[in-house]
Amino acid sequence: MEHDPHQPRTTEEMSSLFDDLRKFWDAYGTPILWVVVIGSFSLLVFNFVTYRGQTARENAWADLAGSTAPASFEQVADDHDNPAVTQLSLLTAADLYLREAAELEGDEQTAKLKDAERLYQRVVDGATHDEFKINGLEGLAVVAEGKRDMELAEQRNQAVIDLAEELPGFETWAVRAQARNQLLP
């Protein structure tokens, strides 16, 4: 006889239910337990790795946003594995060194130009995207102009032109580099 769901179960029905559950657990309990343990552990590891990676990305961008001096931007680039943060940090530090060099003369200016050149070269060598590479190449051309090495500046501007012509959407970079070459003495 089937049990009416609106009526309380009898002791015999409850005992039968528990006996059936015990038989089921004896037959399948260990594999079920292992699936639950392995699934829980996998979820725990996945969440840990995901959270750790997300935290690292957030910290990298926060450090970049909090930097104000060329040395601090260099430190951010060295401290983080995020390629975009590294490239942006190096470009910003190089740009700041270049700006400082424009306000100096003599050995101080030469030192700042060398720092900018070193960082722009790091960007070009480690570029993960064409946008970073073309920015680094243009920076190297400007450094050459600052050093008053017009032949090198022309070569570097030509490298910008060549790369810009290969990439769709970068035509303005080529036009700007050509204009810079025409302005060279």
Side-chain angles (χ1 to χ4, degrees):
M1 177 170 161
E2 249 182 73
H3 175 70
D4 181 8
H6 300 290
Q7 299 295 323
R9 292 192 181 269
T10 64
T11 306
E12 187 177 301
E13 289 175 336
M14 292 299 288
S15 177
S16 174
L17 174 68
F18 287 129
D19 285 342
D20 290 344
L21 284 174
R22 188 171 353 125
K23 286 178 189 174
F24 177 80
W25 186 256
D26 288 342
Y28 304 107
T30 302
I32 290 173
L33 185 61
W34 276 111
V35 167
V36 169
V37 168
I38 291 172
S40 298
F41 182 74
S42 298
L43 185 62
L44 180 70
V45 168
F46 175 77
N47 285 339
F48 175 76
V49 169
T50 302
Y51 177 75
R52 183 173 173 208
Q54 181 180 359
T55 301
R57 283 188 298 277
E58 289 173 1
N59 288 343
W61 287 104
D63 288 349
L64 176 64
S67 297
T68 56
S72 65
F73 282 105
E74 276 189 82
Q75 189 64 45
V76 168
D78 293 337
D79 287 348
H80 297 287
D81 292 332
N82 184 321
V85 169
T86 299
Q87 299 294 304
L88 286 172
S89 296
L90 292 173
L91 283 171
T92 305
D95 290 346
L96 291 174
Y97 279 134
L98 198 58
R99 183 182 301 161
E100 290 175 6
E103 298 169 0
L104 300 171
E105 293 182 14
D107 292 339
E108 291 176 329
Q109 182 185 47
T110 303
K112 296 293 181 183
L113 288 171
K114 283 183 181 179
D115 288 336
E117 185 173 37
R118 174 179 54 83
L119 296 179
Y120 284 129
Q121 191 61 55
R122 276 183 66 187
V123 170
V124 171
D125 293 342
T128 54
H129 297 286
D130 294 325
E131 293 86 353
F132 295 131
K133 186 171 186 174
I134 203 163
N135 269 288
L137 288 171
E138 185 176 59
L140 288 171
V142 173
V143 168
E145 289 176 33
K147 290 181 170 182
R148 290 161 185 59
D149 186 344
M150 299 310 153
E151 185 178 321
L152 182 59
E154 185 175 355
Q155 291 171 359
R156 289 178 172 173
N157 278 322
Q158 188 59 48
V160 171
I161 294 166
D162 294 342
L163 181 59
E165 288 176 348
E166 291 175 15
L167 303 172
F170 283 81
E171 296 81 17
T172 56
W173 289 82
V175 170
R176 188 169 56 217
Q178 289 168 345
R180 290 182 81 92
N181 271 346
Q182 290 174 354
L183 294 173
L184 292 174

